Each structure stands twice: as C-alpha cells, then as structure tokens.
Amino acid sequence: MNRAVLGDQVPPDLLTRVLRTEVLPGLPAPERLDPAEARRQVVHLGLTGASVARHFQERTPGGKSEPERAFDGLVVGPSSCRSGRTSRRWPTVPAPGTAIVSPMRHWYAGT
C-alpha cells in the first residue's frame, strides 16, 4: 500500500483509514504473542508509522511543522482491551533531548 500511495495510485489517507479501521483494532493482546512475534509486530508497526508520518508531512499543508498530527485518531488495540488495559495512542513528539519511546513497544514487547 505504501508504494501505491507513493505512486499516486491510491489516496494518501488510505493507509491511515485501513490502519484505523482494520489493522490497529484487530491487533492481538500482547500476552498472546511469543517474544519473536512481538518483535515482528513492533518492527512492522514501526515501519508503518514511519510511512504514515512521511505521507502526512509530504502531502499535508503544515504537516512538517506539526508531524504528530499524522497519528491523530490512530489507537493501538480495541478501545477496551480484554486484558483490562486501555488503548494507547501513538506517541507525540518528545521534547528535545528526551528518548522516543513508543507505547506500542511497551504494549507488544512487555518492556
């Protein structure tokens, strides 16, 4: 899908719509994943997040000045998880000099 967006074959917002409606709500609870699968999920979600950010910044007026807006509306997991945990939103841009820690990393890697 990323290549289709880059090649103007599909609308730029298709990736975020699919993530919001099909991918993120259907992610398994982290305790159902073994460590190797959790790592794969983190890698795939990280690469997908990078694509979301890129498309937003390249195609949205003012997108480079407010890149965190690329993740508005993207929630990890269902709104009320079976484990009783609440959904986690994508991270906002941290203050300069602070570490970037994605809530998805904690969610899937258990760290």
Side-chain angles (χ1 to χ4, degrees), residues 31-110:
E31 59 270 8
R32 297 190 67 188
L33 300 173
D34 63 55
E37 181 60 25
R39 285 189 294 273
R40 283 190 290 276
Q41 289 284 349
V42 169
V43 169
H44 290 296
L45 291 170
L47 292 171
T48 302
S51 295
V52 167
R54 176 183 178 181
H55 300 316
F56 180 83
Q57 290 179 34
E58 289 179 346
R59 298 169 188 261
T60 303
K64 289 184 181 179
S65 64
E66 296 182 294
E68 68 276 10
R69 288 184 33 231
F71 305 105
D72 287 352
L74 295 178
V75 178
V76 178
S79 60
S80 177
C81 298
R82 290 178 290 281
S83 65
R85 296 179 187 167
T86 58
S87 299
R88 297 177 184 230
R89 300 204 177 277
W90 288 64
T92 57
V93 176
T98 60
I100 298 174
V101 179
S102 168
M104 289 184 297
R105 179 175 183 272
H106 294 293
W107 184 253
Y108 284 97

